[in-house]
Amino acid sequence: MAAPVEKTEKQKMLDNEYYLPSCPELSADRARAWNLLDQFNTITPANGAERDVVGHQLFGSWTDGNFINSNFKCDYGYNIFLGKGFEMNYNCVFLDCGKITIGEKVFIGPNVQIYAVNHPLDPVKRATCLEIGQDVTIGNNVWIGGGAIICPGVTIGAGAVIGAGSVVTKDIPALTLAVGNPAKVIKTITPSE
């Protein structure tokens, strides 16, 4: 009987298990992403076809015509899946150690941060530099206001609105408005609004 093959740190990350980000493979993946981000962020949005070429190389999924203002930052890019009609304003940061899946026609304001990664609470374990990916999912037709922070493991339902400056620590149902720190649902959205 063959001995079980030990997972690489990258495979552990992709499987949402604790992993060491300092391994050579993940370090090379981050360097690749940074090089692509340098290209992406220097191409003006007016040169959409050029940006689309880099977008297909950087992201796990990209639809031609998606719009991202500079300066965008992420860890890997390949763990970010963007639906059709995606629009994002200036200076956003996505920590994509876990998957970040975003639906169609999602609008994201400036300075929004999405964290799909976490660290151990135990300070002894945290000192080992382990991380764990925790996927973030955002449904179709969501609007996230400027300066919002989306925490690890959160799902935001289709048609929801996250108020500017909110910190989303728990799942938000579809067709609701959530605001505050931590974000709380304050109303249900009706089709006429």
Side-chain angles (χ1 to χ4, degrees):
M1 189 170 191
V5 177
E6 188 170 325
K7 289 183 180 183
T8 65
E9 297 303 310
K10 180 175 180 175
Q11 191 57 54
K12 290 177 191 175
M13 181 187 82
L14 295 172
D15 290 343
N16 290 345
E17 298 171 5
Y18 279 106
Y19 67 94
L20 288 170
S22 59
C23 77
E25 185 177 21
L26 289 175
S27 295
D29 285 356
R30 285 190 304 277
R32 174 191 171 275
W34 296 336
N35 286 330
L36 288 168
L37 285 165
D38 283 345
Q39 293 174 50
F40 189 82
N41 285 319
T42 57
I43 300 168
T44 64
N47 294 326
E50 225 180 305
R51 277 186 137 214
D52 286 339
V53 170
V54 180
H56 285 291
Q57 294 172 38
L58 176 62
F59 297 103
S61 68
W62 172 268
T63 302
D64 288 352
N66 282 352
F67 178 83
I68 296 178
N69 260 323
S70 298
N71 208 6
F72 173 67
K73 298 292 183 192
C74 66
D75 286 317
Y76 300 101
Y78 56 65
N79 254 351
I80 301 171
F81 303 88
L82 303 173
K84 182 179 177 182
F86 176 76
E87 292 190 22
M88 184 165 61
N89 219 316
Y90 298 102
N91 299 319
C92 292
V93 175
F94 289 10
L95 302 183
D96 62 317
C97 302
K99 289 178 192 69
I100 298 174
T101 304
I102 299 177
E104 295 185 356
K105 298 190 184 294
V106 170
F107 298 150
I108 295 183
N111 300 306
V112 168
Q113 300 172 49
I114 299 178
Y115 306 147
V117 62
N118 216 335
H119 304 276
L121 292 178
D122 175 357
V124 174
K125 190 172 181 182
R126 191 169 54 250
T128 66
C129 298
L130 288 171
E131 296 178 349
I132 189 167
Q134 292 181 304
D135 300 346
V136 171
T137 303
I138 298 171
N140 294 337
N141 299 304
V142 169
W143 175 19
I144 300 175
I149 297 173
I150 313 301
C151 291
V154 166
T155 295
I156 299 174
V161 175
I162 307 300
S166 296
V167 178
V168 182
T169 60
K170 295 183 179 172
D171 292 353
I172 302 298
L175 291 171
T176 58
L177 170 61
V179 300
N181 181 4
K184 292 184 168 77
V185 172
I186 61 167
K187 73 180 284 183
T188 299
I189 298 170
T190 58
S192 63
E193 293 181 286

